[in-house]
Amino acid sequence: MSIDVQQKITKTDLLVIPFYAEKTPTAQQQAALEQYGHPDFEAKPNETLMLYQKNKLTPRILLVGLGKQKSDSTEVWRQAGGTLAKKFSKAIRHLTVLPPKEDAACLAAFLEGMMMSHYRYEAFITDPERRLSPFPEVRWILQEKNTVDFTKKVNEVHVTTEAIKMVRDMVNAPSNQMSPSKIAEHATRVARGNFKTRCTIFGESKLIKLKMGCLVGVGKGAMEETKFIVLEYKNKPKNKRPIVLAGKGICFDAGGLNIKTSNMEEMKYDMTGAATVIALFKILNELKPNLHVIGLAPCAENLVGEAATKPGDILTSYDGTTVEITNTDAEGRLVLADAIGYAVKNYKPEAIIDIATLTGAAIIALGFDITALMTNNAPLAEKVKTAAKAVDEKVWELPLEEEYKKYMKSPIADLANFSPKASAGTIMGGAFLEHFTKNTPWVHLDMGGSAWTKEEKPYFPVGATGRMVRTLWKFLENYSS
Ligand code: BES
Ligand code: ZN
Ligand code: ZN
């Protein structure tokens, strides 16, 4: 991936000038703005001002605010990029960025914001007028000496934002288009033609033979076949034993026989975890770190067919734990229990990270912007938090309080999947999953709030966010070096 760098402004459809609030523009920026005097622009974060001129060299100039330089961060630049991309139109086939400073991390975040913002789920939009205009070609005014660092980062931005787009396309797709089999096809496609990655799909009869009773039990009320996806990436690994990523893949969560009474239409996004894991393998294939990583995606639909698991039934999980199903709507922890059990038994992993839209209670605890993190291993959690911080994604740890774990016991089985006596629903989900880790270092990420946005943000269009792809990639990258 090469980037288009130049020292002088040449003819361009749009000249983008990012500005700090209290700083005077650089000489080059000033020169570009010469004929405007002092535009009425305060350079607050995400403020923009479009200027038009007859000048053929730069017919449009867009000022983009960065706020005060002392509160500068990569996130400010990412948001500015996202805000800028909302101004793209068919007329803008190329643009030139004239930055106030040549910092590779900030400029890469700026591009990342543009690419994350420039997205629409348009698989079912038939009117071509409503389609997004193509992403313009981007040129950078930079000194030659600063291009090497930046080029490397730009390549990573391209790969990770493509993976985020893949997650969003899969998650935004309605459930009648994104069955467990369809997710399996996506995983197969990611692995195809890549000798470092293998993909194996287990169908229902194989899962019954393997005794994955919880996963099979969740999918029994649906016509669509339950699938268990296993991805494996191995490239001269630095880690001795694999890292396992496990993602909840509930293609639609009607709640089962404990049927949902509100917001059911949103529940196509209950396979975000599975999509995130598959997208991370796409990144692994392209950026090729020295790692051994296993990806697991238990995929099923939680519906109400006549074979559906009934409240009060007892299921036996892959590791032999018996679970009383006190609420069929707490299905995510069941499919992940089997995935975690499978990981522990077959790989003895160095670390397990699961990603799931596990609880609505995560929204109550942390809102829509923060992913809940739970762990049985502080050093591993620290690694995930460090990665999240490095890419400006927000995670917050909730404690797996010992005292709370008793609520997940059942009088007639080893565990219950839900307790009407317990509050702190997000912690209860984590506490249930912890049982299956058998002390393997593990981090649980509950994206119940953060997987989807109803509100447009600078670089999140309404719908699937694609969060945690960047955090988990950063985690893996750090792990490999
Ligand atoms: N998929 C849902 C969690 C969810 C709800 C995510 C809303 C995002 C938004 C999960 O399977 C579920 O239904 N959880 C129940 C658990 C309860 C029955 C213990 C919940 O959160 O209400
Ligand atoms: Zn549910
Ligand atoms: Zn669910």
Side-chain angles (χ1 to χ4, degrees):
M1 176 85 221
S2 68
I3 54 165
D4 197 342
V5 169
Q6 51 195 49
Q7 278 75 51
K8 277 217 199 90
I9 300 165
T10 53
K11 188 171 165 3
T12 186
D13 293 333
L14 174 70
L15 179 68
V16 176
I17 310 189
F19 262 114
Y20 288 114
E22 75 288 51
K23 280 266 288 205
T24 46
T26 64
Q28 225 176 346
Q29 289 183 330
Q30 190 61 57
L33 282 167
E34 197 98 277
Q35 53 180 303
Y36 294 98
H38 292 284
D40 205 3
F41 180 69
E42 293 177 60
K44 290 188 191 136
N46 298 316
E47 185 186 351
T48 57
L49 181 67
M50 184 75 98
L51 305 167
Y52 295 89
Q53 59 181 358
K54 286 206 171 131
N55 170 349
K56 289 223 172 66
L57 194 68
T58 55
R60 300 175 196 80
I61 295 186
L62 183 68
L63 309 184
V64 186
L66 295 168
K68 295 197 169 131
Q69 191 166 18
K70 64 173 184 308
S71 45
D72 192 19
S73 66
T74 43
E75 178 60 10
V76 167
W77 282 84
R78 195 176 290 104
Q79 291 198 15
T83 304
L84 146 70
K86 294 190 180 135
K87 308 282 174 193
F88 290 171
S89 68
K90 263 190 273 178
I92 300 168
R93 283 153 305 151
H94 44 77
L95 61 87
T96 304
V97 183
L98 179 55
K101 68 169 183 188
E102 302 193 359
D103 178 288
C106 290
L107 296 183
F110 192 60
L111 179 66
E112 191 166 69
M114 281 190 238
M115 299 186 87
M116 285 178 76
S117 166
H118 190 76
Y119 171 83
R120 190 174 296 158
Y121 179 64
E122 45 191 26
F124 293 90
I125 307 263
T126 57
D127 176 1
E129 286 300 311
R130 286 179 59 200
R131 300 237 171 93
L132 212 52
S133 56
F135 193 84
E137 186 194 305
V138 185
R139 300 167 190 165
W140 306 85
I141 304 288
L142 272 187
Q143 290 178 46
E144 206 64 58
K145 67 175 169 51
N146 293 332
T147 57
V148 181
D149 254 14
F150 184 49
T151 304
K152 222 171 88 198
K153 288 209 157 67
V154 166
N155 184 42
E156 192 173 336
V157 165
H158 274 270
V159 172
T160 50
T161 53
E162 273 305 303
I164 289 169
K165 182 174 179 306
M166 178 186 181
V167 172
R168 289 177 177 175
D169 278 345
M170 288 175 76
V171 175
N172 287 326
S175 74
N176 62 339
Q177 304 293 325
M178 199 48 65
S179 59
S181 310
K182 263 277 151 54
I183 297 189
E185 276 175 31
H186 275 84
T188 311
R189 208 171 309 136
V190 161
R192 190 173 297 145
N194 195 305
F195 68 96
K196 294 185 184 74
T197 307
R198 278 195 318 179
C199 179
T200 315
I201 312 288
F202 299 151
E204 217 156 308
S205 56
K206 172 80 178 175
L207 296 174
I208 292 167
K209 278 196 206 110
L210 285 172
K211 297 200 159 74
M212 286 211 184
C214 287
L215 172 58
V216 171
V218 168
K220 274 178 71 180
M223 294 284 283
E224 289 289 347
E225 191 185 351
T226 297
K227 302 273 183 185
F228 187 72
I229 300 166
V230 183
L231 281 157
E232 176 161 16
Y233 168 89
K234 197 171 188 178
N235 179 25
K236 300 185 220 95
K238 288 260 170 62
N239 50 332
K240 290 206 188 70
R241 287 172 292 125
I243 297 164
V244 172
L245 303 172
K248 170 176 174 182
I250 298 298
C251 297
F252 190 74
D253 182 12
L257 286 168
N258 291 104
I259 197 159
K260 284 190 186 295
T261 51
S262 63
N263 302 333
M264 194 198 287
E265 71 288 351
E266 292 177 359
M267 281 298 116
K268 65 177 186 180
Y269 79 79
D270 218 15
M271 36 58 75
T272 299
T276 305
V277 168
I278 294 167
L280 280 158
F281 275 75
K282 183 169 146 66
I283 300 179
L284 289 170
N285 282 341
E286 289 169 33
L287 297 179
K288 307 180 176 59
N290 294 122
L291 285 174
H292 185 191
V293 188
I294 303 290
L296 303 175
C299 298
E301 287 185 333
N302 190 22
L303 297 181
V304 296
E306 58 191 296
T309 292
K310 302 170 286 296
D313 285 358
I314 294 178
L315 301 177
T316 304
S317 74
Y318 180 77
D319 78 349
T321 305
T322 55
V323 183
E324 186 191 1
I325 309 306
T326 41
N327 190 321
T328 59
D329 199 8
E331 84 298 338
R333 61 199 71 184
L334 297 171
V335 304
L336 281 175
D338 278 353
I340 292 170
Y342 186 83
V344 171
K345 181 161 179 217
N346 295 286
Y347 301 105
K348 300 190 175 41
E350 222 158 90
I352 300 175
I353 299 180
D354 79 71
I355 311 114
T357 45
L358 207 75
T359 64
I363 301 170
I364 302 187
L366 297 171
F368 292 102
D369 293 325
I370 305 170
T371 301
L373 179 154
M374 282 143 275
T375 188
N376 61 0
N377 185 288
L380 180 66
E382 209 44 54
K383 288 196 175 95
V384 176
K385 290 180 198 171
T386 303
K389 209 170 171 128
V391 302
D392 303 310
E393 289 197 307
K394 295 181 185 101
V395 299
W396 194 256
E397 183 169 352
L398 300 178
L400 291 177
E401 185 58 43
E402 211 47 52
E403 182 62 17
Y404 289 1
K405 293 181 189 168
K406 64 171 187 265
Y407 295 112
M408 302 317 289
K409 299 249 181 296
S410 156
I412 58 165
D414 299 331
L415 294 178
N417 74 333
F418 164 73
S419 159
K421 279 192 252 144
S423 21
T426 303
I427 295 178
M428 291 305 144
F432 180 88
L433 291 178
E434 188 190 5
H435 169 90
F436 298 89
T437 65
K438 303 210 165 75
N439 296 323
T440 307
W442 156 80
V443 161
H444 164 51
L445 296 171
D446 189 337
M447 298 189 65
S450 60
W452 189 268
T453 182
K454 290 183 192 174
E455 205 188 310
E456 186 183 71
K457 304 271 168 79
Y459 54 87
F460 291 122
V462 169
T465 59
R467 282 195 178 107
M468 289 299 115
V469 169
R470 293 186 305 117
T471 292
L472 291 170
W473 162 244
K474 183 56 79 183
F475 167 85
L476 292 171
E477 191 189 27
N478 291 346
Y479 215 99
S480 73
S481 55

